[in-house]
Amino acid sequence: MGVWTEFASITEELDEVVHQPVNEKNRTAVIEEIETLLNKRAAILEQLSDPSQEEKPLLKEVQKRDLKINQKLEFLFEGLKRDMRNAKKQKASKQRYVNPYQSVSGYDGMYLDHKK
Protein backbone atom coordinates (compact mmCIF):
# COMPACT_ATOMS: atom_id res chain seq x y z
CA MET A 1 0.00 0.00 0.00
CA GLY A 2 1.38 3.39 -0.98
CA VAL A 3 1.77 6.23 1.43
CA TRP A 4 -0.86 8.34 -0.33
CA THR A 5 -3.31 5.43 -0.34
CA GLU A 6 -2.79 4.86 3.36
CA PHE A 7 -3.20 8.59 4.02
CA ALA A 8 -6.46 8.60 2.02
CA SER A 9 -7.82 5.57 3.90
CA ILE A 10 -7.07 7.18 7.28
CA THR A 11 -8.71 10.40 6.06
CA GLU A 12 -11.77 8.43 4.98
CA GLU A 13 -11.95 6.70 8.36
CA LEU A 14 -11.60 10.05 10.12
CA ASP A 15 -14.40 11.45 7.98
CA GLU A 16 -16.70 8.61 9.05
CA VAL A 17 -15.84 9.04 12.73
CA VAL A 18 -16.34 12.81 12.66
CA HIS A 19 -19.74 12.55 10.99
CA GLN A 20 -21.22 10.03 13.42
CA PRO A 21 -23.70 11.41 15.97
CA VAL A 22 -22.07 12.68 19.15
CA ASN A 23 -23.85 12.97 22.49
CA GLU A 24 -22.72 13.36 26.08
CA LYS A 25 -22.38 9.61 26.60
CA ASN A 26 -20.09 8.80 23.68
CA ARG A 27 -18.28 12.14 23.37
CA THR A 28 -15.12 11.00 25.16
CA ALA A 29 -14.76 7.87 23.03
CA VAL A 30 -15.33 9.81 19.80
CA ILE A 31 -12.78 12.48 20.75
CA GLU A 32 -10.19 9.84 21.66
CA GLU A 33 -10.75 8.04 18.36
CA ILE A 34 -10.47 11.32 16.43
CA GLU A 35 -7.27 12.14 18.29
CA THR A 36 -5.66 8.77 17.46
CA LEU A 37 -6.61 9.10 13.79
CA LEU A 38 -5.23 12.64 13.65
CA ASN A 39 -1.98 11.42 15.22
CA LYS A 40 -1.74 8.66 12.59
CA ARG A 41 -2.34 11.22 9.86
CA ALA A 42 0.34 13.51 11.29
CA ALA A 43 2.86 10.66 11.33
CA ILE A 44 2.09 9.75 7.71
CA LEU A 45 2.05 13.40 6.65
CA GLU A 46 5.78 13.62 7.36
CA GLN A 47 6.43 10.73 4.96
CA LEU A 48 4.40 12.13 2.05
CA SER A 49 6.20 13.19 -1.10
CA ASP A 50 4.87 14.82 -4.24
CA PRO A 51 2.03 12.74 -5.69
CA SER A 52 2.45 10.96 -9.00
CA GLN A 53 -0.05 11.33 -11.85
CA GLU A 54 -2.15 8.37 -10.71
CA GLU A 55 -2.23 9.70 -7.13
CA LYS A 56 -3.44 13.21 -8.02
CA PRO A 57 -7.17 12.27 -8.08
CA LEU A 58 -6.62 10.70 -4.67
CA LEU A 59 -5.11 13.98 -3.48
CA LYS A 60 -8.15 15.95 -4.70
CA GLU A 61 -10.50 13.58 -2.85
CA VAL A 62 -8.41 13.94 0.33
CA GLN A 63 -8.58 17.74 0.05
CA LYS A 64 -12.39 17.68 -0.33
CA ARG A 65 -12.78 15.39 2.67
CA ASP A 66 -10.34 17.49 4.68
CA LEU A 67 -12.53 20.58 4.26
CA LYS A 68 -15.59 18.67 5.48
CA ILE A 69 -13.60 17.20 8.39
CA ASN A 70 -12.34 20.63 9.46
CA GLN A 71 -15.84 22.10 9.40
CA LYS A 72 -17.23 19.26 11.49
CA LEU A 73 -14.33 19.45 13.96
CA GLU A 74 -14.99 23.18 14.42
CA PHE A 75 -18.65 22.39 15.08
CA LEU A 76 -17.72 19.73 17.64
CA PHE A 77 -15.22 22.08 19.29
CA GLU A 78 -17.82 24.86 19.58
CA GLY A 79 -20.29 22.42 21.16
CA LEU A 80 -17.67 21.30 23.65
CA LYS A 81 -16.82 24.91 24.56
CA ARG A 82 -20.52 25.71 24.99
CA ASP A 83 -20.99 22.72 27.31
CA MET A 84 -17.95 23.73 29.36
CA ARG A 85 -19.29 27.29 29.74
CA ASN A 86 -22.67 25.95 30.83
CA ALA A 87 -21.06 23.67 33.40
CA LYS A 88 -19.07 26.61 34.77
CA LYS A 89 -22.23 28.74 34.99
CA GLN A 90 -24.10 25.95 36.76
CA LYS A 91 -21.28 25.60 39.27
CA ALA A 92 -21.32 29.36 39.99
CA SER A 93 -25.13 29.38 40.32
CA LYS A 94 -25.03 26.47 42.71
CA GLN A 95 -22.37 28.20 44.82
CA ARG A 96 -24.48 31.38 45.01
CA TYR A 97 -27.50 29.33 46.01
CA VAL A 98 -25.61 27.49 48.76
CA ASN A 99 -23.95 30.63 50.17
CA PRO A 100 -25.90 33.74 49.04
CA TYR A 101 -24.02 36.17 51.32
CA GLN A 102 -20.55 35.27 50.10
CA SER A 103 -20.20 38.35 47.92
CA VAL A 104 -21.42 40.83 50.56
CA SER A 105 -18.71 43.25 51.56
CA GLY A 106 -17.26 43.13 55.10
CA TYR A 107 -17.80 46.89 55.57
CA ASP A 108 -21.50 46.70 54.89
CA GLY A 109 -23.40 48.51 57.67
CA MET A 110 -20.26 49.54 59.50
CA TYR A 111 -19.66 53.20 60.52
CA LEU A 112 -16.20 54.62 59.79
CA ASP A 113 -15.23 57.95 61.37
CA HIS A 114 -12.89 59.91 59.10
CA LYS A 115 -12.52 63.01 61.33
CA LYS A 116 -9.63 62.09 63.65
Side-chain angles (χ1 to χ4, degrees):
M1 182 188 297
V3 179
W4 278 102
T5 313
E6 188 177 353
F7 187 75
S9 68
I10 291 175
T11 303
E12 183 178 341
E13 188 178 350
L14 180 64
D15 190 26
E16 291 172 5
V17 170
V18 165
H19 283 90
Q20 70 184 6
V22 177
N23 56 28
E24 292 179 13
K25 294 179 182 176
N26 71 347
R27 178 183 292 153
T28 305
V30 170
I31 289 175
E32 288 174 357
E33 192 171 352
I34 289 172
E35 191 173 342
T36 57
L37 289 172
L38 286 175
N39 288 337
K40 285 182 186 177
R41 275 186 79 197
I44 292 176
L45 194 61
E46 296 172 358
Q47 302 171 3
L48 290 178
S49 59
D50 291 333
S52 62
Q53 288 298 330
E54 58 269 358
E55 293 172 336
K56 288 200 181 208
L58 194 62
L59 175 67
K60 288 183 182 182
E61 168 132 4
V62 166
Q63 288 175 339
K64 287 179 186 176
R65 284 185 185 257
D66 200 36
L67 287 174
K68 292 178 186 176
I69 290 170
N70 284 336
Q71 289 174 350
K72 188 65 176 178
L73 285 176
E74 283 293 322
F75 178 73
L76 289 173
F77 185 63
E78 289 298 321
L80 186 61
K81 285 195 316 187
R82 183 179 53 248
D83 289 348
M84 288 175 64
R85 275 194 305 265
N86 288 341
K88 192 174 182 180
K89 283 181 186 177
Q90 285 177 350
K91 184 178 177 183
S93 302
K94 182 179 175 186
Q95 185 66 28
R96 277 195 302 261
Y97 181 76
V98 169
N99 190 0
Y101 300 109
Q102 179 180 7
S103 62
V104 176
S105 176
Y107 294 115
D108 193 29
M110 190 167 133
Y111 177 72
L112 294 175
D113 188 12
H114 294 288
K115 287 190 176 179
K116 290 187 183 188

